[in-house]
Amino acid sequence: MGTRGEQEAGEPVALRIEIAGRPIGHVRRRLRIVPHGLDALLSDGPLLDGQGDLPPAGRDGWLLRSMPVARLSALEGAMAGWLLSVRQVYPRHYIPMEAAGFDDWWQGFSAKTRSTLSRKARRLADRFDGGFTVRSYSSADEVAEFMTLAGALSARTYQQRLMQAGLPTDDEHIEQAIADAAQGNIRAFLLFAEGRAIAYLYLPVEHEVLIYAHLGYDPDFADLSPGTVLHVEAMRQLYAEGRFRAFDFTEGDGAHKAQFGRASVACADVLLLRQSLRNRAALGAMRAIDGFATGAKRLLDRVGLRAKVKALIRR
């Protein structure tokens, strides 16, 4: 825990500046990060429609995550004294679970996708003697075991190696996971083949909503889609509990989230910065580069060269 002064200053946030998905620099500011849960997004009541509804700003302002796009104009009007910048817009996918069962969710896939998912499960089972098994973990003792097994697997996944986004396995996170499990607020799953864990799924529970926190798999078996197979089997067990109101895929878009989700809310990550020459210059630079990148994409699309340029940038 930081000191009171550090908390009031806000968290140091590196705002990435990028072209074609490649970072070319950062603008660093101390911001109060305000995330929005699924319940807040689906509520009909006011959401951050005035300065009084925000927690105290960091030294430089706020970073609002998953702000509903439909409420941006109200926010802009209420916060007229601040510099506002929309950094990214995306659908926040989720699965409503109260009025449906697993079969309803499964039928939400197209016939072709259902066939593909079933084929992936068969391929995975056929690769190993004895097929595969899925184990669930929810009690404090079970989650302690899960963190040990999944932590070792996470260290090998591309999520950890390339993005440092694997399952947190430091003592503080493990203790918190065990404490949350003791309150019934963790659901976790491992997929085993020949006695070896090859995929994991970790889901905290908040107000009966499952939070899509961590999914990973052994890169040696990436061609078998073990993470996808595990997620389908986990949904079967989660629906069987009859407890959960929704499955929240949280911030950001992605093919897996779009495919498995059944509804979405248009959201944006929004910067609110204090009026200053320093902050105006930073936003001006970010907007200029964003505008240049957007214009370049349109031009390359027009002349049919975008794919070739992207391939060159990746090298």
Side-chain angles (χ1 to χ4, degrees):
M1 293 289 290
T3 66
R4 179 179 177 81
E6 288 173 338
Q7 292 172 5
E8 291 175 349
E11 299 182 39
V13 178
L15 304 169
R16 192 163 68 171
I17 303 174
E18 60 182 39
I19 294 180
R22 287 293 183 93
I24 62 172
H26 295 86
V27 172
R28 299 185 184 278
R29 293 293 184 270
R30 282 195 168 271
L31 305 170
R32 178 79 62 178
I33 299 176
V34 182
H36 297 99
L38 185 63
D39 281 340
L41 300 183
L42 300 179
S43 169
D44 293 330
L47 178 65
L48 299 182
D49 58 353
Q51 188 170 353
D53 293 324
L54 286 166
R59 182 179 298 158
D60 295 300
W62 293 274
L63 174 59
L64 311 181
R65 294 197 180 279
S66 272
M67 183 76 191
V69 168
R71 305 189 192 185
L72 285 179
S73 59
L75 175 70
E76 189 170 9
M79 306 298 290
W82 294 77
L83 301 173
L84 185 149
S85 176
V86 175
R87 296 306 301 151
Q88 62 175 332
V89 177
Y90 51 86
R92 179 160 173 169
H93 299 282
Y94 67 98
I95 305 171
M97 297 179 69
E98 285 186 299
F102 176 82
D103 289 341
D104 299 298
W105 174 76
W106 179 249
Q107 292 300 318
F109 294 109
S110 67
K112 181 179 179 181
T113 300
R114 291 196 303 272
S115 176
T116 298
L117 292 172
S118 296
R119 185 168 61 252
K120 286 180 177 180
R122 290 195 299 271
R123 284 183 60 222
L124 182 63
D126 291 344
R127 177 72 69 90
F128 303 97
D129 291 338
F132 66 84
T133 58
V134 171
R135 299 180 195 170
S136 62
Y137 301 80
S138 57
S139 71
D141 288 343
E142 289 170 347
V143 169
E145 178 185 357
F146 170 86
M147 296 299 286
T148 298
L149 296 172
L153 172 57
S154 177
R156 302 188 64 247
T157 64
Y158 87 92
Q159 289 90 345
Q160 177 61 34
R161 292 185 292 105
L162 300 184
M163 300 183 294
Q164 290 74 54
L167 183 72
T169 55
D170 56 274
D171 290 345
E172 181 179 357
H173 278 95
I174 291 175
E175 290 173 5
Q176 185 62 57
I178 294 171
D180 290 342
Q183 300 299 314
N185 291 328
I186 296 291
R187 293 296 182 273
F189 300 87
L190 283 170
L191 186 149
F192 290 87
E194 296 180 350
R196 173 181 175 182
I198 64 172
Y200 67 86
L201 176 62
Y202 180 77
L203 309 168
V205 180
E206 297 179 3
H207 308 296
E208 312 308 322
V209 174
L210 295 151
I211 309 299
Y212 183 68
H214 299 284
L215 174 70
Y217 54 83
D218 190 322
D220 291 346
F221 304 103
D223 62 312
L224 297 173
S225 304
T228 299
V229 173
L230 173 60
H231 198 162
V232 170
E233 294 304 312
M235 292 304 300
R236 193 188 308 275
Q237 296 188 36
L238 293 168
Y239 269 111
E241 285 195 52
R243 166 188 169 183
F244 306 107
R245 296 188 294 116
F247 188 111
D248 180 10
F249 284 99
T250 71
E251 295 94 346
D253 197 9
H256 182 80
K257 295 180 178 184
Q259 183 182 62
F260 276 57
R262 292 296 176 267
S264 65
V265 180
C267 290
D269 289 346
V270 181
L271 267 178
L272 281 170
L273 297 179
R274 297 183 187 279
Q275 292 271 7
S276 71
L277 288 176
R278 174 173 171 264
N279 287 336
R280 284 184 176 277
L283 284 184
M286 287 190 286
R287 287 169 176 163
I289 293 171
D290 289 346
F292 170 79
T294 300
K297 288 177 184 177
R298 290 173 180 165
L299 177 61
L300 291 171
D301 283 340
R302 195 173 299 137
V303 299
L305 292 176
R306 186 174 172 188
K308 294 181 180 179
V309 172
K310 287 177 70 176
L312 288 172
I313 291 174
R314 291 193 189 103
R315 291 179 182 175

